[in-house]
Amino acid sequence: MRVSTPHIQVPLGRPEGYALPGFARAARVLFLEDNPIDADLIVREAEQTGLALEWTRVDREGDFLAALEREFDLVLSDYGLPGFDGLQALELLKVRRPEVPFILVSGSVGEEVAVAVMKLGAADYLLKDRLGRLGQAIRQALAQGALRREQRQAEERIREQAEMLNRAQDAILVLEVASRRIRYWNQGAVRAYGWSGPEAIGRTYAEVFPEAGTQEAIFQALESTGEWQGEVRLANRRGAKLLISSHASLLPTRAGEPAQALFIDRDVTAQRSLELQFLRSQRMESLGTLAGGVAHDLNNVLAPILMGVQLLRTELNTHYSTLLATMEASCLRGAGLVKQVLAFARGVDIERRPLNPLETLAEVAKVVRETFPKRIEFQFEGDPGAWSILGDTTQLHQVVMNLCVNARDAMPDGGQLLLSVGNLMVDEIFTGLNPGSKPGPHLLIQVADTGTGMTPEVRERIFDPFYTTKEAGHGTGLGLSTSLAIVQSHGGFINVYSEPGRGTTFKVYLPAVGTERAVVPAGPNQAKHPRGQNQLILIADDEEAILQVAQKTLEHFGYRVLLAAHGAEAVGLYAQHRGEIAAVLTDMEMPILDGPSTIMALQAVDPEVKIICSSGLGTGLNLSKVLAAGVTDFIPKPYTAESMLTTLARVLGGGR
């Protein structure tokens, strides 16, 4: 045994002995002792146990801290040391090396100090004149330290794995199968579903996804086979509908632990939308090939008939002239229809010229009044200052007539039908909500009815060729697909708004010509729209895109914004921020609590609340609901930045 001088680290040797379980080498002991005689006594006592120990002795605080930069398995410490004591050494160890066990060996401290040391986390306490338990204490402390290291390594692995899971783009969650409560929720799930980890963990699957109709089938499959895979429609926290590709499997658990399932979810909404668009374009291409061939054959059939009729008119007497004229007109109309089919199928050019839409729409209005059932109340609203468009009269007539006929068929028991035309300046805010549209002056044609309306599933397919919800023999399924093709060939687009039982509104947007006075701002920074004064505005709408664009617009123009995905959330937010909210912009058609009910609830909370309503189902048809609720400010969807900001400025400036 070597004797060390004070405050110098001295290796005390590596005696022969057996290694402890879990140690492939001698256990390293850091020994805090300023008395060489006591140090020699304690080391000799430890050697007699046969343990393989490698000792390093220090006696000053600085040397102790320096030694802690290396790896040790155990710290043995006297209580009284130069400049500091055993309690301070234990506190330093807990900060620097919390996994290393600590044994206090002293001959001069009382019971109170011993209790304090044990409460602070020491593995054991021994008196120098009673070292019979030293070997046992060292064994237990080293075993405790080995367990701590294993736990620390396991925790580090778990943290690393959790970090990897959080970096994953997929939503990953773990649920208890029996209770269906969520136990893990990664950042991918936060991004996909909008719930934070603390908000989601502890809730049941049904509480987070109340509309998941397949959840029973999922958990039944897990209990029977241990795995489930498929696609499910879920809604995020704001109510936006998502198509999720999900894979669920049972996790291995220890005996007595509740069964848990791992879910890996991927949002494939955008991917499926692109696939549907691709399939639709393929169907349109196939239809074009078919229609082109049919049109070619029809032209061959009509050509000799037309020529024969014209020849007969020169040979027969006037007695047959009226009949022949009718036959000739029918052939020419048939040839015109063939030309339309070719235009739809293969993009054959049709001569377009500037035209006044009011004349064409007036003709449609006349046909509707004369031929539609009298139980349908028809209204035509034409703006005398409507801009001209560059187009084909026959095609425009066909588009509007198709929409009116569909509206008639949606109201078998009667209702209201509105046909209107007006001007709209499309800005960049509007184009953000309508992919494929371009800023500039547009003619807006609306066909709105109060009929049966459509479900979201039907609405997604109405422009598919040959798709129809009518009975066999009552529709070909080509009317809307043809109308869309015509509008798109004119550089325009169509928006559809519909709710089951609440009617449908088709809005046709066509680029206008001859509008020199119409100037579109290049962007929000250049638009001379009224600005806010940091007022707080609450927006309620179930369309995520509308919420996001409206929020960005209002914040850009000096407002603060709160968002609600449905009426119930809007009422809750208003009650919470009643003294701050300056105005509410609410949609009329929302889940859980619709627009009129939301307005009534808001007015019950605050009779002076300022409300602006919006809807895509047509201004005229919704105005009665708005007026009945006591609200006079209404903006039709899709609204532009100008209409939203101007209406908001008027409401905030002059009250309701």
Side-chain angles (χ1 to χ4, degrees):
M1 177 63 60
R2 286 177 288 182
V3 179
S4 65
T5 57
H7 70 266
I8 297 177
Q9 296 184 28
V10 179
L12 300 181
R14 180 174 178 175
E16 295 295 328
Y18 66 88
L20 285 163
F23 287 86
R25 52 168 175 76
R28 300 188 183 100
V29 181
L30 178 60
F31 192 13
L32 267 167
E33 176 60 69
D34 62 328
N35 188 325
I37 298 176
D38 287 347
D40 183 66
L41 174 67
I42 292 171
V43 170
R44 289 181 183 277
E45 182 67 29
E47 286 177 351
Q48 293 178 7
T49 65
L51 297 175
L53 303 173
E54 183 177 309
W55 298 80
T56 299
R57 185 172 72 86
V58 296
D59 59 4
R60 299 293 177 93
E61 180 179 1
D63 297 332
F64 176 62
L65 291 175
L68 290 180
E69 297 298 323
R70 293 147 50 199
E71 292 291 335
F72 285 96
D73 303 306
L74 174 66
V75 172
L76 247 67
S77 176
D78 189 12
Y79 181 76
L81 297 163
F84 78 129
D85 58 32
L87 279 176
Q88 292 173 305
L90 177 55
E91 289 175 345
L92 292 172
L93 181 67
K94 289 180 64 177
V95 173
R96 298 292 183 90
R97 298 281 186 177
E99 75 282 0
V100 177
F102 180 94
I103 297 177
L104 184 69
V105 182
S106 179
S108 60
V109 298
E111 185 177 341
E112 292 183 0
V113 173
V115 171
V117 170
M118 297 302 291
K119 284 185 177 181
L120 198 57
D124 211 334
Y125 166 75
L126 298 172
L127 293 173
K128 290 183 178 180
D129 58 354
R130 299 178 186 177
L131 295 176
R133 287 194 314 108
L134 181 60
Q136 178 185 355
I138 291 175
R139 288 190 188 90
Q140 291 177 345
L142 289 174
Q144 185 184 85
L147 180 61
R148 286 179 184 174
R149 283 192 297 274
E150 290 177 3
Q151 290 176 338
R152 184 188 65 177
Q153 292 169 357
E155 290 171 357
E156 288 177 354
R157 286 195 298 269
I158 291 172
R159 280 195 294 269
E160 291 172 358
Q161 292 168 356
E163 181 63 25
M164 291 175 62
L165 292 176
N166 279 329
R167 291 180 181 178
Q169 294 300 311
D170 293 340
I172 301 175
L173 43 153
V174 175
L175 290 83
E176 284 185 3
V177 176
S179 66
R180 300 186 185 178
R181 293 196 177 276
I182 297 169
R183 297 306 180 197
Y184 177 75
W185 186 267
N186 78 331
Q187 286 300 314
V190 175
R191 291 189 294 268
Y193 300 125
W195 296 83
S196 69
E199 291 171 332
I201 293 173
R203 293 179 184 264
T204 65
Y205 190 83
E207 288 174 339
V208 176
F209 305 115
E211 299 180 2
T214 59
Q215 60 176 294
E216 289 299 330
I218 294 173
F219 286 98
Q220 286 176 6
L222 284 172
E223 292 172 357
S224 60
T225 66
E227 190 174 16
W228 179 88
Q229 186 169 357
E231 291 186 349
V232 59
R233 292 193 176 274
L234 302 175
N236 65 15
R237 191 173 187 181
R238 293 199 172 278
K241 302 297 187 296
L242 305 175
L243 182 62
I244 300 297
S245 176
S246 180
H247 180 270
S249 58
L250 289 179
L251 292 173
T253 55
R254 297 176 181 175
E257 292 183 349
Q260 294 187 329
L262 172 69
F263 283 72
I264 301 177
D265 294 351
R266 176 170 296 179
D267 184 0
V268 295
T269 309
Q271 177 184 338
R272 290 292 181 271
S273 178
L274 291 174
E275 290 175 356
L276 287 174
Q277 290 179 21
F278 177 70
L279 292 174
R280 183 178 297 171
S281 67
Q282 284 188 320
R283 290 197 299 269
M284 294 290 285
E285 185 177 344
S286 299
L287 176 63
T289 302
L290 172 64
V294 172
H296 179 267
D297 291 340
L298 283 175
N299 273 331
N300 290 337
V301 171
L302 290 172
I305 297 174
L306 183 58
M307 289 186 291
V309 168
Q310 292 171 344
L311 181 61
L312 287 173
R313 290 184 68 181
T314 63
E315 298 293 333
L316 298 178
N317 57 40
T318 56
H319 178 73
Y320 297 101
S321 60
T322 303
L323 177 60
L324 292 172
T326 301
M327 293 173 64
E328 182 180 15
S330 297
C331 286
L332 291 172
R333 188 175 299 113
L337 289 174
V338 169
K339 195 176 183 181
Q340 296 283 341
V341 171
L342 285 172
F344 164 70
R346 294 182 176 176
V348 174
D349 289 335
I350 287 182
E351 182 180 355
R352 294 190 174 91
R353 57 182 178 80
L355 60 89
N356 182 352
L358 285 178
E359 296 177 1
T360 302
L361 296 183
E363 293 177 5
V364 174
K366 181 180 178 182
V367 173
V368 170
R369 287 194 180 98
E370 293 177 353
T371 61
F372 279 25
K374 299 303 179 184
R375 59 180 177 272
I376 294 178
E377 180 184 335
F378 176 70
Q379 183 180 356
F380 175 54
E381 297 177 356
D383 182 357
W387 292 325
S388 298
I389 64 170
L390 193 64
D392 179 82
T393 301
T394 303
Q395 288 188 328
L396 180 61
H397 188 284
Q398 182 181 356
V399 169
V400 179
M401 200 67 223
N402 277 342
L403 298 178
C404 288
V405 169
N406 282 344
R408 178 202 65 189
D409 295 343
M411 298 183 290
D413 299 323
Q416 294 175 288
L417 173 59
L418 171 67
L419 172 61
S420 67
V421 60
N423 300 328
L424 178 70
M425 183 60 64
V426 172
D427 57 18
E428 290 188 350
I429 304 301
F430 187 97
T431 59
L433 295 172
N434 297 273
S437 61
K438 297 179 180 180
H442 280 66
L443 184 76
L444 171 60
I445 301 171
Q446 295 189 72
V447 178
D449 65 66
T450 57
T452 55
M454 293 180 284
T455 63
E457 292 75 20
V458 171
R459 197 166 63 241
E460 288 179 1
R461 297 194 59 193
I462 57 174
F463 293 111
D464 286 355
F466 300 114
Y467 177 76
T468 179
T469 58
K470 300 176 183 178
E471 297 178 1
H474 289 79
T476 63
L478 286 174
L480 288 176
S481 58
T482 303
S483 298
L484 178 62
I486 291 173
V487 171
Q488 289 178 338
S489 71
H490 282 70
F493 58 98
I494 301 178
N495 276 340
V496 185
Y497 302 88
S498 186
E499 294 285 340
R502 296 187 178 184
T504 301
T505 296
F506 282 86
K507 296 187 177 184
V508 180
Y509 301 84
L510 297 169
V513 296
T515 58
E516 291 80 3
R517 61 186 176 85
V519 178
V520 183
N525 292 330
Q526 300 177 25
K528 296 181 180 179
H529 300 320
R531 296 186 61 85
Q533 302 297 323
N534 203 37
Q535 299 101 318
L536 183 62
I537 308 300
L538 172 60
I539 306 175
D541 203 300
D542 60 328
E543 291 290 338
E544 183 78 14
I546 292 176
L547 288 175
Q548 296 302 322
V549 175
Q551 179 184 21
K552 290 179 181 178
T553 303
L554 290 178
E555 289 176 348
H556 179 82
F557 284 94
Y559 293 96
R560 293 177 294 128
V561 180
L562 287 175
L563 301 179
H566 49 74
E569 185 179 1
V571 174
L573 286 173
Y574 190 88
Q576 184 179 355
H577 301 275
R578 175 177 174 179
E580 301 177 70
I581 296 175
V584 179
L585 173 59
T586 178
D587 185 24
M588 291 294 285
E589 291 79 31
M590 295 183 292
I592 302 178
L593 198 65
D594 63 8
S597 301
T598 300
I599 293 171
M600 293 176 62
L602 289 171
Q603 290 174 338
V605 175
D606 180 8
E608 300 301 319
V609 59
K610 296 182 178 181
I611 299 175
I612 302 170
C613 293
S614 68
S615 175
L617 292 179
T619 307
L621 302 181
N622 284 277
L623 192 56
S624 58
K625 294 182 181 179
V626 176
L627 292 174
V631 179
T632 58
D633 297 286
F634 184 94
I635 50 176
K637 282 184 175 180
Y639 41 76
T640 63
E642 180 181 6
S643 62
M644 177 176 61
L645 293 167
T646 302
T647 304
L648 192 56
R650 184 180 69 251
V651 169
L652 295 178
R656 285 181 297 165

